[in-house]
Amino acid sequence: MADTMKGLKRTHYCGEVTETGQEVVVGGFVERIRNKGGLIFIVLRDRTGVVQLAFSDKSDPAVFEKASGCKSEYVLMAKGNVIERESKNDKLKTGHVEIFVTDLRILSKAETTPFEITSETKVNEELRLKYRYLDLRRAPLQQNIIKRHEIARVTREYFYENGFLEIETPMMMKSTPEGARDYLIPSRVHQGSFYALPQSPQIYKQLLMISGYDRYIQLARCFRDEDLRADRQPEFTQIDLEMSFVDAEDIQECVEGFIQRVFKEVMGIDIPVPLQRITFADAMNRFGSDKPDTRFGFEIQDITDTVKDVDFPVFRNAIVDGGTVRAINVRGGADTYTRKEIDKLIEHAKGIGAKGLAYIRWAGEPNCSFKKFLKDGELEAICNAVGAGSGDLILICADKTKTVLSTLGAVRLICGKRLGVIDENKYNFLWITEMPFFEYDEDNNTWVAAHHPFTMPMEECIEYLDSDPANVRAKAWDLVLNGTELSSGSMRITDFELQQRMFEALGMTDEEIQAKFGFLVDAYRYAAPPHGGMGIGLDRLAMIMCKADNLRDVTAFPKVQNASELMSECPSPVDKESLDVLGIMLSEKE
């Protein structure tokens, strides 16, 4: 039978025991045991760290015997005196002390765990996720979860201090188009009808502005039924905010203050403000991405004019077809990238959609993949155009501009990582502004909305809504950090007539408008202050601040690639009776 806590009350966390000459009571899990016969040392662990418990021939015999029976992951409480440790460990905060135990309680015994609970582990992640409650005992994950908590704490404090009200919005709402598939909840009372889990609180926070709550904040749970990747989970937390009587600069300035505060308080890092701003077009042209990593160079350069007379069919055909020829200069890349490695880059480029890559590898003397097509002086002109010299590698793509930019943007990142030029201790924030209002859907030969339908177009672009959608820019922006999109924001349409024009430009009928957004459209008939807002990905912010590779490393109970949770084995079937109550009948799988 397990011991009880009766008569003991924890006075210290393990990682806080640093001063000798005091009596303490600690509780935690057994990390490891060293039994040297007449001496026993137990390393006890809790969420703050570890401390060493000591037992010797001077211990109470009953206490010593109990210590000798302890095993890894047993839950203990120990009372004792803090003394100097003979064999010090300078790597630990508590490495110079130990607790000579006078009272030991074994509160719970553990079976042998499926894997060892250690900071560093090579255990298959699938096994660790199946036993997530054990994996969460490991110090790296505990530190990540604690840091995520600190980010949330600072978030609330900052926005409270700046006049924001935390208001909860419904978790069961009307299904509205938000860009991804909804998770649907069948109604028992209204059979055949469904609630949706919110992809974001977008409509509700706009209604709150109409209702007069001019500064709203919420750490909102959001749900999107879309394919997972390293920085995406089906359920996530968004630092959701909306502000009235402001413009875009006011919102961005407020968020900059938050970024500065959270990095200073949580990590002790000073982030200079204002943050850098570049337009969407500039980001695409320079980095081939709307979420560029600006911690290193290798920027994309347009060499179309330089090569327009070069008699290389790949260049010539791309230019004739209205495309461009662009290049990146991978400085110092000639030694690292052998012909075999360049071939791998070419295959990667083809996987993205490009026909391939041309290259100039300047090792000793320039080695050009299309040299036989060049006349005197043309090779030198290309090298000069991109500022290349000995030791550099020039990678060139010729195709439709969209394909060229996406290809070189991806290749640029691969080269940056391969050459080790990305400073992992650098935090480059970037505002991406003047986002395109529409995107062209080549499959259906039509223009579609790039944002939710309440996004305000820039005033100077309103006249082009019907006639020239390619030139319409939105009053929308993204916040990017080290190549990861943290947030999207925009000013909202508050003019009823302009909102109707927007719906019409998106091809929506009056019936569709009423069915999907009727209650919000009606609300705008009763006047609305100018407002805008953002949603900052708390999970992604935590992932970067924890230097984690995956959102699973900052999420307590994450889903895997197929949106299942290995520990609880959800989603799972339900019995027929439960489905009958909801009026649902499952069809047979084909």
Side-chain angles (χ1 to χ4, degrees), residues 356-419:
L357 294 173
Y359 67 87
I360 302 169
R361 181 172 175 263
W362 197 332
E365 61 181 44
N367 176 21
C368 179
S369 64
F370 51 98
K371 189 173 184 179
K372 66 180 181 179
F373 297 98
L374 297 176
K375 298 189 287 289
D376 288 346
E378 290 181 335
L379 178 60
E380 290 77 6
I382 295 172
C383 290
N384 289 337
V386 298
S390 179
D392 293 343
L393 172 67
I394 305 170
L395 298 170
I396 306 171
C397 188
D399 211 313
K400 294 179 180 178
T401 299
K402 184 177 180 180
T403 301
V404 169
L405 293 176
S406 61
T407 300
L408 290 179
V411 169
R412 170 183 177 268
L413 287 174
I414 293 171
C415 294
K417 292 175 183 176
R418 179 71 178 84
L419 267 65

Side-chain angles (χ1 to χ4, degrees), residues 418-462:
R418 179 71 178 84
L419 267 65
V421 297
I422 302 176
D423 185 350
E424 298 296 337
N425 294 313
K426 197 172 186 180
Y427 296 93
N428 276 21
F429 285 91
L430 198 63
W431 290 111
I432 308 295
T433 63
E434 299 188 28
M435 311 289 286
F437 201 84
F438 297 101
E439 294 174 338
Y440 191 70
D441 183 349
E442 294 184 358
D443 293 333
N444 297 306
N445 294 320
T446 186
W447 290 93
V448 296
H451 313 276
H452 61 72
F454 310 104
T455 302
M456 183 74 178
M458 298 183 76
E459 282 83 355
E460 63 268 29
C461 299
I462 292 177

Side-chain angles (χ1 to χ4, degrees), residues 263 267 427 481-482 484 486 539-548 554:
F263 268 77
M267 299 186 70
Y427 296 93
L481 171 57
N482 294 353
T484 296
L486 286 183
D539 314 75
R540 290 184 179 180
L541 181 61
M543 184 178 77
I544 294 175
M545 294 177 74
C546 291
K547 298 187 185 301
V554 295

Side-chain angles (χ1 to χ4, degrees), residues 54-272:
F55 309 82
S56 73
D57 54 6
K58 296 180 182 178
S59 301
D60 181 299
V63 170
F64 190 88
E65 182 179 358
K66 193 178 289 188
S68 66
C70 289
K71 295 181 180 179
S72 293
E73 299 310 311
Y74 276 25
V75 176
L76 310 180
M77 284 195 78
K79 177 181 179 180
N81 299 306
V82 184
I83 60 175
E84 283 287 337
R85 183 169 162 176
E86 286 189 15
S87 178
K88 293 180 173 53
N89 184 346
D90 294 332
K91 294 180 180 179
L92 296 176
K93 181 181 177 183
T94 61
H96 63 289
V97 299
E98 61 188 12
I99 302 171
F100 186 77
V101 178
T102 56
D103 189 355
L104 181 67
R105 310 284 178 91
I106 299 177
L107 303 181
S108 184
K109 296 182 179 181
E111 296 181 3
T112 302
T113 54
F115 53 87
E116 193 176 359
I117 313 298
T118 57
S119 293
E120 299 297 326
T121 180
K122 295 182 180 179
V123 175
N124 181 283
E125 188 186 28
E126 189 171 316
L127 180 64
R128 291 191 289 112
L129 287 171
K130 180 176 175 61
Y131 296 94
R132 185 64 167 180
Y133 45 85
L134 296 178
D135 198 28
L136 284 169
R137 292 181 187 178
R138 296 192 308 112
L141 275 180
Q142 289 200 336
Q143 290 163 8
N144 287 355
I145 297 299
I146 292 169
K147 184 172 285 188
R148 180 191 168 112
H149 157 76
E150 287 298 306
I151 294 168
R153 177 187 61 78
V154 174
T155 299
R156 285 192 163 97
E157 289 175 355
Y158 173 81
F159 284 104
Y160 292 169
E161 290 169 13
N162 281 275
F164 286 76
L165 302 174
E166 184 168 9
I167 305 174
E168 293 181 350
T169 53
M171 295 293 280
M172 298 193 303
M173 58 180 287
K174 182 182 179 69
S175 178
T176 56
E178 292 258 4
R181 288 180 295 272
D182 283 329
Y183 280 104
L184 300 175
I185 307 171
S187 171
R188 176 185 60 82
V189 177
H190 306 281
Q191 289 196 4
S193 295
F194 296 81
Y195 302 100
L197 295 177
Q199 293 187 34
S200 78
Q202 184 63 48
I203 292 177
Y204 285 107
K205 67 180 181 179
Q206 290 185 238
L207 287 168
L208 286 170
M209 297 301 104
I210 295 172
S211 302
Y213 299 91
D214 65 309
R215 290 198 165 199
Y216 144 91
I217 183 69
Q218 182 183 189
L219 269 60
R221 294 295 285 168
C222 304
F223 307 83
R224 296 183 182 178
D225 185 3
E226 54 190 358
D227 295 333
L228 273 62
R229 58 191 187 203
D231 63 350
R232 180 186 288 167
Q233 282 276 306
E235 50 186 320
F236 58 94
T237 303
Q238 185 168 287
I239 302 169
D240 201 51
L241 63 112
E242 196 83 4
M243 303 170 67
S244 292
F245 302 104
V246 293
D247 56 23
E249 289 71 24
D250 294 321
I251 299 171
Q252 291 165 8
E253 183 180 348
C254 180
V255 170
E256 286 180 349
F258 162 66
I259 292 296
Q260 198 172 44
R261 171 85 163 263
V262 74
F263 268 77
K264 184 64 175 178
E265 285 202 24
V266 177
M267 299 186 70
I269 293 174
D270 291 311
I271 301 294

